[in-house]
Every structure is written in structure tokens, then in C-alpha cells.
Amino acid sequence: MPRNLRSFLTFIFGWPLSLIALFFLAKSFLPHLSTLSQTVLHPNWISLSLGFFCFVGYFYVRSFIWYKLLYLRGHDLDATESLFQWSFAQLRRYIPGNIWGVVGVSLHFEKKNVSRKDIAASVVTESQLVLIAAAFLSLFSLPLVIQLAPLPQMLLTPISITVIMGSLIYFFSKSILKKISFSSKITSFLFPSFSFEKILSLWLLMIIALLAYGIGTYFIVTSFTYLTPLMFWAFVGYFVLSLLAGFVSFITPTGLGVREGAIALGLGTVMSSSLAAFIAIAARGVLILSELFAIGIMYFFHRFKSRLLLRCIHYLTTYSHKTVLLFAYGLFAGYFSWISILRFDNYYAGRFDLGNMEQTIWNTLHGHIFEFTNPNGTTIVSRLAFHADFILVLLAPIYALWQDPRLLLLIQTAILGLGAFFVYGLSTLVTKNKNVSLVISLLYLLNPSLERAVIYDFHAVTLATTFLLGAFYFMYQKKYIWFVLLAILAGICKEEIWAIDALFGLYILVFQKKKMLGSTVFAGSVLILYTLIWKIIPQAAGSQHFALSYYSNGEVTDSPTSLIKLFLFSPLKTLSLLMDSARLMYLNQLLLPIGYLGLLAPLFLIFASPDLVINLLSSKAELHQIYYQYSSAITPFLFISTIFGAAFVLKRLKKIPEIVLLAYLVCAGLYSAYLYGPLPGAKSPNLDMITKPMPDRITINRLLGAIPSQYSVSTSNSLGSHVTHRQYLFTMPYGWDKADYIIFLMNETNAYPSPQDHKKQAEILSRNPEYTKYYDDGNVKAFRKKTITAPTGL
């Protein structure tokens, strides 16, 4: 179609259609503007900012894709100029007749000696990438689409298969056309002549861009109203589908009106049509502002030729795998820091175990080294009465910077995510394959056991995951000073980790032939393990290690030695225990996320055997589940064995293409993340902190914060992590007769011993002449000793 005719048709039909669509959207919410005022004028600025910067990221990635397309066609342009010129050219999308910014792009890049043919071919390829990537992500929207247009369930599978197969055909189009000996100027123009790997990388970049758009729109919506995270991926997919609808409606400039109408239609299923219409238009407004902001930033760097930006772009293009991993780490750290803090803020993180750890660190910082209140009593005890997690002492100087439990949650998330870099580094050494190394590293961050551990409070042993990965990485490289340092850090996270350190010593002795070092590490680790478990911990507790009760099963076990004998001399009983369905399910939960690939390198799974045996033989159900911290010392070796298993496939099973191995690992990782993971969209996501927030948490925060640290407090478990800055902290029912302050949460569903006991005890305290009730709103009841002055600020 001639350009002038296309411009005329777009001016005659495109803008009027857009204006009509926007008119009807505005008409939907303007009559209700007075009722929407509270929502409109008081958005959540954090969510709004996140949405804004997601949109900025969307434009940056889109501009980078264009740079890569020209680069692959032989045009090595200045990166900053290319990004700026593409972004600036896209503004012409709003001018009638310049659909998709094609004319603007042509005008800008023809001046850079880029032929019209290459520009046109790149535009076609870019459009195809948008179509197939958006169609793929739109599959997540099917649950929402069914509500809008009732589709037979039988159609969902064919639709999904069609999109996936269409994408695969496009990826392999070059090979397919070559095999059927069908080639012409048209096919070479319509289908990119790039290799499968390059097309896949471009598609993944487009997936990232569209995800940024979909997630950004989700944040914009949640800045004005609540949108359940249980349907997070459905909404993200639907927002991408709305973008696709606007994209294919080429008659309207940049899909104006079409996209907004689609968004309003989808949101109308969960909110009023007036609010949905307003949010749809608001999202477009934020999108335009973010685009202008992105162009402004690009212009600044282009105009002043920033060396920093040039270095960043050079790094992005030269170290693309590390860049992707760094980006994934940022997502991991950001999301789980936010969700962990939100969990704490809504009283889902309790005295067990965040409060125990934090009180120990706070006491250490205030001169009572490695002490806390016995969680099963009212006396001050050494932390050694329970565990030898001396790393809590090392955290005290860092904790001094911000004495708040949330700092521990941030530290845990940051350190745990860093393990992905050790996985990548080790994998590149072993497999010599960056693609495989990147995928395994990403699966580490997606691992359900890892993610569940980082959400479930703070535990010192969780940090051992990264320390053990680092220790093995440096041991493999024979950098023994770093190995020893990280092995010690892992050991002081929990007492049984020294058994793994001992196995490290054996590996150095037997396989690396370092007799002195290997023998020293082995003997020293065994000695420390024996001293802690057989001597020091029982002495501090005044009895044997408390965890022995998890394994006796009715038998008399008065020491770790007798417990070992019990299992060794009852092999049939031990075997039947290991074959229990719950324990087999636990093994499946551990191995499925790595596609069972670690079984091809069983030697490295031996390092996980100490904790694996502890968990499998325990009668405590939580130990053979992935929902807590108990698999933290197993996870490192699942991925180490996977690395060596992948190397075995690449070197010994060369008939298996690399792409098949990658696809297998990705499918296993995504499927297990759906089955067992805590993320939105999973089968059993951990989102109670969002969907079921503490309704009166501000009141509770003020109440607990007003209690001076010199007084003892008795609270329920859920409140315990918020009042740890004191020597004496009792967990109900302990301290009901001696605490200076007693705080009841009457509607607590998991109250211990029971909500009825809380109610009875509150009634008893109401009649106790030593106590006075100073706060009662029906849910929270607070008592203090009459000899204590009432706290201020209530």
C-alpha cells in the first residue's frame, strides 16, 4: 500500500476510531469520578513507581532488540546512538500514517547507511517477535479470557499447542526452508536468516520486554485498587494480550483505544467498569510518561557520550549470560526481600524462628554473647543449648547498623541468591557451556526448596547453602584459602554442617591428592562435630541434643551414639522407614527441579548425605518436607551433581543436542516451580501475607513498640519476633505468671496452646490484683504489672 494512501486511511479511520474508543472509556468513569476520588487521588506510590520503571525497562529492552537486529544484519552502529534514534523514532507512532514508527525508523537509520531492505527486514522480524512472544505469554491469560468469552475447555489445549508449535516452526524456519529446498526473495525477507540460537535469544529478549510491560501494568492497577496475586500470571498474560490486540490493530496509531478497551474489559471482571476504565487510561498515561523519560535518559547519554553507559552496553553485549544472571539475581533479591518483609510486617514471621535468631544477635550486641530466652521456659540460656550457629555472633556488627529483624531477612535473601553465581562459575568450568550454565543457575534461583527456605523466617543454616557452594567451587579450583574460609562459614551456620566439611576433606585427600590438607580438614571437622554434638551442646542444654527425640520412635536413645547403633543394627526397620511414601515424595520434590539429572553424578550427592539421612530418618514430618529450612545443606549438592550430570550428557551423549538438554531442564524447573514453588501462579503459592494481611497491624505495632526493652514480655508466637529487643521474652503459655507485659492476640488461628486458653488466661489476669488491663479492642488484649508506669504513645 502506498505510503500516502496508508497515511490518508489512517488519518480518516485510525484516529477517529481511537478517539471514539477513548470517549466511551471516559464516559464510563467520569460520571463516577466523585466516588472514585479517594482511589484516584491517593494511589499507592510505591506500586505506581514500580510500574513506571517496569515500563521504562520495556522500552529499553525493545530498543536493545532493534540494535541487536541491525547488528546481526552487519550494521555495527554506535550503541547509544542506535538506542536513542530507535526510541525517538517510535514517537512517530502517534502521528497519523506512521504505523509502528516504520517511517521514523527509516528516516533515522537511512542516514546511518542502513539500507531500506535491512530496515524493512528488521521491522518484519521485530513484528514477528512481538507476535509470537506476546501470543506465548497470552496463554497465561486463558483463565481470565474464559470468564470474558466462555470458551469450551476442549479448545484450550489446541490453542496452546498451536501457539507453541507456531513458535517452534518460526525458530527453526531457516532449517525447515533449507531442508525442503524452498527459498525465494519473499521467504528470505519474511523469515530471518539467523541461526536458531540467535532467534531464540531475540525471542527471550522480547519475552523479557513484554513481561516488563505486563508486570508494569499489574503494578499500575494495584496502585489504585487491590488485584489478587493469586491470579498474577493470568493478569500479566492478559495485559500482554491487550498489547497484542493494540499491535495488530494497525489502523489505529499505536493501538490507542484498542489496548485500553481490552484492559478495561478484563479488569471489569474483578472491579467496577468505571474504575476499570479509569485505570486503563491511567496505565496508558504512565506508559507515555515512561517512554518520554526513557527517551530523555537515552538522549542525555547519547548527547554527552557517557563512558559509563558505553561500558555498560559493552558489558551487556559481551557478557550477555552474566547480565541475564545478574538481572535474575536482582529479581530474586527484590521479590523475596519484599515478600519476606511483608510476611514479617503482617505477623507471619514468629518467635520461632526469626525471633530466636534476632534476640540472640541483639543480646550479643548488648554484651550477652550468644544468649537468648529459653523458648520453652523463662530462663536465659546459651544458644548452644539448641544449636551451634555461631554465625549469629558474626552478624552482630552488621546488625548494629540497623537493629531490626528485617535486616536479617534482607541479608538472608541477598546471600542465598549469590549462590547462583557460584553455580554459574562452577558450571562454566565443568561443562564449558555458557548456555547450560546459565539455565542451571536460573533453575537454582527458581528452586522451590530454596525459595521456600528464604520465605520461611530467618535461619542461620539457610546461609550455608551459598557458603557450601562457594566452598566446593574454590575446592574444585584448588584455591584452598578461600575454600577453608567458606567451609568454616558454612560450619558455623549449624553443627551438622561439619560432617559435610569432613567429606570435603576426604575429597581433597582422595581425589586431589592433597594429603596434609585433606587429612587436616577431615580430622578437624570430625573433631569439631563430635565436640559440639556429643559434649558442648548437651552440657549447655543440661541434657542430650533436643533433636534426638525426633528419631527414637519409642526406643531408648540417651546419646547420638545409641541412636546411630539403633539404625545400623535394625536395617530392615531403617529401610522400611526410608521407603515410606512421604519420604519418597520428599526425594521427588528435591530431584524433580533438576530433572533428576544429578543422579548421573551420584558421587557429588554423597556430600548431601549427612543432612539427607537426618531428614529421611526423622519422625518429625517437617524435616522431610521442602517447605522449611531443613534442605538448605542438601540444595547445593543437588546443583553440583546436576552440573556434572550435564557435563556427562554433553561429553558422553553427544547425540543429544544441547537444545534438547536445555529444554528438558527448563521444563523440569518450570513444572516443579508450579507444583511445589511459592511464587504467584504456582499450585500452592505462599501469598497469605498479601491476600490475608493482619487487619489491625498498625495498632499492634504501636502497642508493641511502646513497651520499653528493660521489661519482660509474654506473647504468642506470631507477635514474638516484634518484641525481641530485650533479655526476657516468653512465648505463651510461659511467663503468664511473671512477665511484666502480657499481650494476647485473641483471633490468632494458630494460637498455642489454643485460642480458648488465651481467653481463659485473659479472664484470669483481669481478676489478678498484680496486673491491670491497659488495652483491649476485642482482638488485642494487653496487660501490665500495676507497678509499671503505663507506656506512652497509645
Side-chain angles (χ1 to χ4, degrees):
M1 182 182 294
R3 182 183 301 172
N4 291 337
L5 178 60
R6 185 182 61 193
S7 300
F8 176 75
L9 291 176
T10 305
F11 182 79
I12 294 298
F13 297 106
W15 271 105
L17 288 175
S18 292
L19 293 175
I20 290 170
L22 293 175
F23 170 76
F24 280 105
L25 286 172
K27 189 177 179 181
S28 297
F29 74 83
L30 284 176
H32 304 88
L33 191 58
S34 59
T35 59
L36 293 174
S37 60
Q38 290 300 315
T39 300
V40 172
L41 298 177
H42 298 88
N44 183 316
W45 291 103
I46 295 178
S47 293
L48 196 63
S49 300
L50 288 172
F52 178 85
F53 285 109
C54 281
F55 284 159
V56 171
Y58 163 73
F59 288 113
Y60 280 155
V61 178
R62 286 292 305 272
S63 62
F64 184 73
I65 291 171
W66 179 257
Y67 166 75
K68 290 292 292 183
L69 282 169
L70 293 183
Y71 180 81
L72 292 173
R73 294 187 186 279
H75 300 283
D76 190 9
L77 303 177
D78 178 76
T80 57
E81 184 175 8
S82 177
L83 297 180
F84 167 70
Q85 295 291 1
W86 181 89
S87 302
F88 188 75
Q90 293 305 303
L91 289 179
R92 293 174 178 262
R93 291 171 302 162
Y94 296 96
I95 302 174
N98 291 280
I99 303 169
W100 301 338
V102 175
V103 174
V105 168
S106 299
L107 291 174
H108 281 287
F109 286 95
E110 281 181 13
K111 298 176 182 178
K112 302 299 176 183
N113 297 321
V114 181
S115 66
R116 290 187 177 183
K117 178 183 177 182
D118 284 345
I119 291 173
S122 297
V123 168
V124 170
T125 302
E126 182 189 33
S127 302
Q128 292 168 342
L129 290 170
V130 171
L131 288 172
I132 62 173
F136 177 79
L137 290 175
S138 296
L139 294 177
F140 293 111
S141 70
L142 289 178
L144 191 58
V145 172
I146 290 175
Q147 298 180 36
L148 296 171
L151 298 173
Q153 291 286 340
M154 59 184 297
L155 288 180
L156 300 185
T157 300
I159 290 173
S160 302
I161 292 175
T162 300
V163 171
I164 294 172
M165 291 303 298
S167 301
L168 290 174
I169 290 172
Y170 182 78
F171 294 156
F172 291 100
S173 57
K174 180 181 178 181
S175 301
I176 293 172
L177 292 173
K178 186 176 180 181
K179 286 187 178 181
I180 63 177
S181 301
F182 182 76
S183 180
S184 66
K185 290 184 178 180
I186 296 178
T187 57
S188 62
F189 180 79
L190 292 179
F191 296 96
S193 58
F194 311 140
S195 65
F196 167 80
E197 289 79 7
K198 289 184 173 61
I199 296 176
L200 181 62
S201 65
L202 290 169
W203 180 79
L204 289 173
L205 283 172
M206 188 61 73
I207 287 287
I208 292 172
L210 295 178
L211 278 176
Y213 170 81
I215 294 172
T217 307
Y218 181 88
F219 280 129
I220 297 299
V221 176
T222 55
S223 69
F224 293 105
T225 186
Y226 176 77
L227 203 60
T228 174
L230 296 176
M231 293 187 65
F232 174 80
W233 288 111
F235 279 113
V236 168
Y238 185 81
F239 296 143
V240 173
L241 179 62
S242 70
L243 182 145
L244 180 60
F247 183 80
V248 298
S249 62
F250 56 87
I251 197 66
T252 59
T254 192
L256 193 63
V258 175
R259 192 186 308 179
E260 288 68 41
I263 291 176
L265 184 65
L267 293 178
T269 61
V270 294
M271 64 186 68
S272 67
S273 58
S274 56
L275 181 59
F278 167 77
I279 290 176
I281 294 179
R284 167 66 77 161
V286 176
L287 183 69
I288 293 173
L289 290 175
S290 66
E291 183 173 14
L292 294 174
F293 177 81
I295 292 172
I297 296 296
M298 288 182 182
Y299 173 76
F300 175 82
F301 285 115
H302 165 62
R303 179 69 177 80
F304 296 101
K305 299 293 182 182
S306 169
R307 292 184 179 181
L308 176 62
L309 181 63
L310 291 174
R311 289 178 181 177
C312 290
I313 293 174
H314 175 74
Y315 186 90
L316 289 173
T317 53
T318 307
Y319 304 101
S320 56
H321 294 81
K322 291 181 180 179
T323 300
V324 173
L325 181 57
L326 188 63
F327 178 75
Y329 171 77
L331 288 179
F332 175 91
Y335 176 79
F336 285 103
S337 294
W338 171 65
I339 211 74
S340 298
I341 290 175
L342 200 60
R343 186 172 182 270
F344 169 79
D345 288 343
N346 285 282
Y347 292 87
Y348 285 97
R351 165 75 188 273
F352 294 94
D353 289 313
L354 175 61
N356 289 334
M357 306 287 178
E358 206 253 352
Q359 193 195 20
T360 303
I361 297 174
W362 187 87
N363 273 325
T364 298
L365 190 62
H366 291 79
H368 308 284
I369 299 175
F370 215 48
E371 291 181 353
F372 73 136
T373 310
N374 187 346
N376 301 316
T378 58
T379 58
I380 300 296
V381 297
S382 168
R383 176 69 185 162
L384 274 169
F386 293 86
H387 290 298
D389 39 12
F390 297 110
I391 198 167
L392 298 178
V393 177
L394 292 184
L395 290 175
I398 302 174
Y399 181 76
L401 300 175
W402 182 33
Q403 297 181 41
D404 191 285
R406 285 166 287 197
L407 177 62
L408 301 183
L409 300 176
L410 293 174
I411 290 173
Q412 177 175 257
T413 304
I415 292 178
L416 200 58
L418 288 175
F421 294 95
F422 286 121
V423 171
Y424 180 81
L426 179 65
S427 185
T428 53
L429 290 173
V430 175
T431 66
K432 313 295 183 185
N433 188 304
K434 292 182 178 180
N435 293 330
V436 172
S437 300
L438 177 61
V439 168
I440 295 175
S441 303
L442 296 179
L443 292 185
Y444 169 86
L445 295 174
L446 194 62
N447 183 260
S449 177
L450 183 88
E451 293 179 343
R452 295 281 183 182
V454 77
I455 285 179
Y456 183 63
D457 286 11
F458 172 87
H459 299 88
V461 71
T462 307
L463 306 180
T465 302
T466 295
F467 296 147
L468 289 170
L469 281 168
F472 188 93
Y473 171 76
F474 288 115
M475 180 181 70
Y476 185 79
Q477 285 193 300
K478 298 182 180 180
K479 296 180 178 180
Y480 295 118
I481 294 177
W482 285 105
F483 156 72
V484 171
L485 175 62
L486 285 165
I488 292 173
L489 285 175
I492 61 176
C493 287
K494 201 176 179 184
E495 56 275 6
E496 75 264 19
I497 303 296
W498 292 103
I500 299 175
D501 285 346
L503 293 176
F504 282 152
L506 285 179
Y507 182 88
I508 294 171
L509 176 65
V510 175
F511 293 97
Q512 296 187 335
K513 308 301 182 182
K514 300 289 184 180
K515 296 182 180 180
M516 179 63 71
L517 178 63
S519 300
T520 302
V521 171
F522 174 75
S525 300
V526 170
L527 179 62
I528 294 172
L529 178 71
Y530 175 81
T531 304
L532 288 174
I533 294 181
W534 271 262
K535 301 295 183 181
I536 295 179
I537 292 179
Q539 182 178 354
S543 62
Q544 289 298 324
H545 198 298
F546 75 95
L548 289 179
S549 61
Y550 300 161
Y551 303 89
S552 60
N553 295 312
E555 302 286 343
V556 178
T557 51
D558 56 358
S559 69
T561 304
S562 62
L563 183 63
I564 293 172
K565 290 180 180 179
L566 175 65
F567 286 114
L568 287 178
F569 296 126
S570 305
L572 293 178
K573 185 176 180 180
T574 302
L575 184 61
S576 65
L577 196 63
L578 294 175
M579 297 303 293
D580 174 67
S581 60
R583 289 164 175 80
L584 293 177
M585 175 59 71
Y586 173 61
L587 291 174
N588 180 65
Q589 291 173 333
L590 292 174
L591 293 170
L592 180 61
I594 57 171
Y596 285 86
L597 201 63
L599 296 179
L600 295 178
L603 170 66
F604 301 99
L605 289 173
I606 293 175
F607 291 105
S609 59
D611 271 61
L612 199 57
V613 169
I614 288 172
N615 292 353
L616 290 174
L617 295 181
S618 172
S619 60
K620 185 178 180 180
E622 289 84 349
L623 265 71
H624 39 267
Q625 295 175 358
I626 64 167
Y627 305 109
Y628 307 97
Q629 76 279 10
Y630 300 111
S631 301
S632 296
I634 299 172
T635 300
F637 305 106
L638 293 174
F639 283 90
I640 290 170
S641 62
T642 300
I643 290 169
F644 284 92
F648 176 83
V649 172
L650 292 172
K651 295 176 183 178
R652 302 294 178 86
L653 305 176
K654 295 184 178 180
K655 291 186 178 181
I656 299 178
E658 175 190 318
I659 187 61
V660 173
L661 175 61
L662 292 174
Y664 172 72
L665 285 171
V666 169
C667 289
L670 291 176
Y671 182 58
S672 61
Y674 167 73
L675 286 180
Y676 310 126
L679 294 174
K683 190 175 181 180
S684 301
N686 192 333
L687 298 171
D688 284 352
M689 66 289 291
I690 301 175
T691 59
K692 302 175 184 177
M694 179 68 75
D696 47 0
R697 68 175 186 176
I698 296 177
T699 299
I700 299 174
N701 288 342
R702 187 170 66 251
L703 183 70
L704 298 180
I707 303 175
S709 60
Q710 67 266 29
Y711 295 116
S712 60
V713 179
S714 177
T715 68
S716 59
N717 177 58
S718 60
L719 303 182
S721 62
H722 290 256
V723 285
T724 53
H725 292 182
R726 64 199 71 251
Q727 270 195 285
Y728 289 93
L729 171 62
F730 314 135
T731 302
M732 293 181 177
Y734 300 105
W736 279 353
D737 57 342
K738 64 184 299 184
D740 296 320
Y741 286 83
I742 302 176
I743 315 294
F744 292 94
L745 191 59
M746 307 307 295
N747 296 334
E748 187 177 28
T749 55
N750 59 344
Y752 183 82
S754 70
Q756 291 74 23
D757 289 313
H758 283 196
K759 185 177 180 180
K760 292 178 182 178
Q761 185 61 29
E763 291 175 354
I764 293 172
L765 282 172
S766 298
R767 300 188 299 268
N768 191 324
E770 295 184 8
Y771 286 88
T772 182
K773 184 195 299 183
Y774 71 95
Y775 188 86
D776 186 354
D777 64 0
N779 180 30
V780 181
K781 297 181 186 292
F783 297 83
R784 62 175 171 81
K785 286 184 176 179
K786 290 183 177 180
T787 55
I788 297 173
T789 303
T792 59
L794 296 179

